[in-house]
Amino acid sequence: MTIEVLRAKLHRITITEANVNYVGSITLDRDLVDAVGLVEGEKVHVLNVNNGNRLITYVILGERGSGQVCLNGPAALQASVGEVVIVVAYAHMTVEEARSFSPTVVFPDERTNKLQP
């Protein structure tokens, strides 16, 4: 048996763009993606701190160092520019593996979405 466990978390990043006329997804600065070990196309949950909306989408790689956090397609209707979100990814593992696993959690600067030194 496996369970789904938190694997990666970008805690409190700010939406910089919302593009409803795009196919769909969340575009993230490559520095943020790399910091938590996400993969392009990976399923993520986006939790809106401002209004409680929760959505599931997938990662598209944005420009490195840009601070970009862009909701695309229908997801763009779930948050507005300037709102704060949490992005999480999960992994399936056995209960035994989960007991010793530690997720990667990163706290970028909420105003700039840049990694803190």
Side-chain angles (χ1 to χ4, degrees), residues 1-8 89-104:
M1 173 176 68
T2 62
I3 59 174
E4 208 167 7
V5 176
L6 177 67
R7 182 182 77 71
Y90 300 91
H92 291 273
M93 57 187 77
T94 66
V95 172
E96 293 76 26
E97 290 171 320
R99 286 192 174 119
S100 62
F101 179 78
S102 295
T104 302

Side-chain angles (χ1 to χ4, degrees), residues 100-116:
S100 62
F101 179 78
S102 295
T104 302
V105 179
V106 173
F107 300 85
D109 182 304
E110 189 175 312
R111 293 167 292 119
T112 64
N113 296 330
K114 302 290 177 100
L115 300 174
Q116 300 187 44

Side-chain angles (χ1 to χ4, degrees), residues 80-96:
S80 299
V81 171
E83 290 187 332
V84 175
V85 297
I86 298 167
V87 176
V88 295
Y90 300 91
H92 291 273
M93 57 187 77
T94 66
V95 172
E96 293 76 26

Side-chain angles (χ1 to χ4, degrees), residues 37-50:
L38 294 173
V39 176
E40 184 171 25
E42 182 173 1
K43 177 171 119 176
V44 292
H45 293 235
V46 181
L47 319 174
N48 188 318
V49 174
N50 296 88

Side-chain angles (χ1 to χ4, degrees), residues 34-89:
D34 291 348
V36 292
L38 294 173
V39 176
E40 184 171 25
E42 182 173 1
K43 177 171 119 176
V44 292
H45 293 235
V46 181
L47 319 174
N48 188 318
V49 174
N50 296 88
N51 63 25
N53 286 341
R54 301 169 72 93
L55 65 101
I56 300 170
T57 191
Y58 60 93
V59 173
I60 288 182
L61 300 176
E63 182 182 342
R64 186 174 300 284
S66 66
Q68 182 180 29
V69 177
C70 179
L71 287 176
N72 302 302
L77 301 174
Q78 301 300 310
S80 299
V81 171
E83 290 187 332
V84 175
V85 297
I86 298 167
V87 176
V88 295

